[in-house]
Amino acid sequence: RRIDVEATALQRQGELGIWAALLGQEAAQVGSGRALRPKDFAFPTYREHGVAWCKGVDPLELLGLFRGCSNGGWDPQEKRFQLYTIVIGAQTLHAVGYGMGMQRDGVVGTGDPDRDAAVIAHFGDGASSQGDVNEAFIFAASYNAPVVFFCQNNQWAISEPIERQSRIPLYQRALGFGFPGVRVDGNDVLATYAVTQAALQRARDGQGPTFVEAYTYRMGAHTTSDDPTRYRIASEVEAWQAKDPIARMKAFLTRQQIADESFFAEVDEQART
């Protein structure tokens, strides 16, 4: 979140051309990112800053991309984290193709935990309306590809509410393509971790794709060029702010006596540094 706040400030100062915030989606991204094993491969959108952090990508490389200094800056094979994808939903097809390549390389369903790997494709609720995403579902189902489709349903596809995009919960769409779908509380990092971990293991075991819908909320703007006050009301944002994933995790750690104020102060200092 500290990276996100800093990048937003830099864009307002003219140092970045644009920034896609993840405010409110930290638990979904970190929960799914921490579920990945070293050999698993992630295909992000342009908003997966939390997953990038989990995969060891230097935040400065993210800023360089949004400043226009580079096309990414990190080695996707080294990080097992593909470059950001600007075209909405295109990364789902890339992920399925990579997963099919893994099958042909013999690193899926061997039963060897040190060998087997899987792919995760992150996308938003708006991308679920794209043709590329639906084609990816078909290919993944047809070839039993080892892919987890991780959809962060943040309620708004830029300016269109989720009820205008789908008449059923997004995770239920998976059944129409022939693979399982599950919805998880995307503001609960531990639940997200557990669900994603199970889906990835299923893929590694050769049991094919899974659709995970992380039910969360984009508390900020779609990007720094967007004005969300044009299309959503303040009371809706306030209701979701009460479910803030970081405040929720802090309360949990405190209640369980896992962490104290000195720990939180240290985390804040690390983030500031």
Side-chain angles (χ1 to χ4, degrees):
R1 178 168 289 187
R2 185 65 183 85
I3 294 165
D4 191 50
V5 170
E6 181 70 17
T8 300
L10 287 170
Q11 194 281 330
R12 296 308 189 204
Q13 296 165 22
E15 298 293 342
L16 303 182
I18 195 172
W19 179 252
L22 80 156
L23 189 65
Q25 297 179 219
E26 297 90 350
Q29 292 195 14
V30 173
S32 61
R34 292 297 185 204
L36 293 164
R37 289 182 180 174
K39 291 185 179 180
D40 295 335
F41 208 112
F43 285 78
T45 67
Y46 43 74
R47 198 188 304 277
E48 261 61 66
H49 318 316
V51 184
W53 175 258
C54 293
K55 296 298 284 183
V57 175
D58 190 326
L60 289 177
E61 293 179 322
L62 300 179
L63 299 185
L65 172 64
F66 286 95
R67 185 176 167 86
C69 298
S70 73
N71 292 323
W74 62 90
D75 181 346
Q77 282 294 340
E78 176 196 354
K79 302 298 184 184
R80 308 297 288 170
F81 183 75
Q82 186 53 274
L83 300 178
Y84 275 9
T85 305
I86 307 302
V87 178
I88 306 297
Q91 72 279 5
T92 56
L93 280 171
H94 307 160
V96 173
Y98 197 94
M100 291 168 63
M102 282 180 162
Q103 289 174 314
R104 285 151 181 76
D105 286 343
V107 294
V108 178
T110 69
D112 182 353
D114 295 325
R115 182 178 178 85
D116 290 341
V119 179
I120 189 167
H122 290 84
F123 59 101
D125 49 299
S128 67
S129 299
Q130 292 288 335
D132 281 2
V133 175
N134 289 271
E135 291 168 10
F137 291 168
I138 292 171
F139 268 93
S142 298
Y143 291 92
N144 209 42
V147 181
V148 174
F149 295 104
F150 190 88
C151 176
Q152 292 166 83
N153 179 0
N154 63 28
Q155 313 302 311
W156 290 93
I158 305 182
S159 58
E160 295 298 331
I162 184 63
E163 58 266 19
R164 190 170 295 174
Q165 301 174 64
S166 182
R167 294 189 177 185
I168 61 170
L170 292 176
Y171 76 94
Q172 292 183 3
R173 289 186 178 185
L175 292 177
F177 292 92
F179 54 87
V182 60
R183 174 184 277 184
V184 64
D185 182 352
N187 282 13
D188 184 335
V189 67
L190 298 178
T192 303
Y193 171 80
V195 167
T196 310
Q197 187 181 50
L200 284 166
Q201 188 56 51
R202 183 176 179 276
R204 295 185 201 106
D205 290 342
Q207 297 181 41
T210 302
F211 183 111
V212 176
E213 178 190 1
Y215 200 74
T216 182
Y217 193 78
R218 192 192 76 225
M219 290 195 285
H222 180 260
T223 68
T224 46
S225 63
D226 174 42
D227 177 11
T229 62
R230 294 184 298 106
Y231 52 82
R232 67 185 189 189
I233 57 177
S235 60
E236 176 183 294
V237 180
E238 290 171 3
W240 279 93
Q241 284 175 335
K243 304 173 185 177
D244 182 290
I246 294 180
R248 179 174 178 171
M249 189 62 181
K250 185 176 181 179
F252 170 76
L253 293 172
T254 302
R255 273 199 315 271
Q256 299 296 318
Q257 298 183 332
I258 297 171
D260 56 19
E261 285 304 318
S262 64
F263 170 80
F264 297 125
E266 182 182 347
V267 170
D268 289 341
E269 178 59 23
Q270 289 177 359
R272 187 196 66 78
T273 301

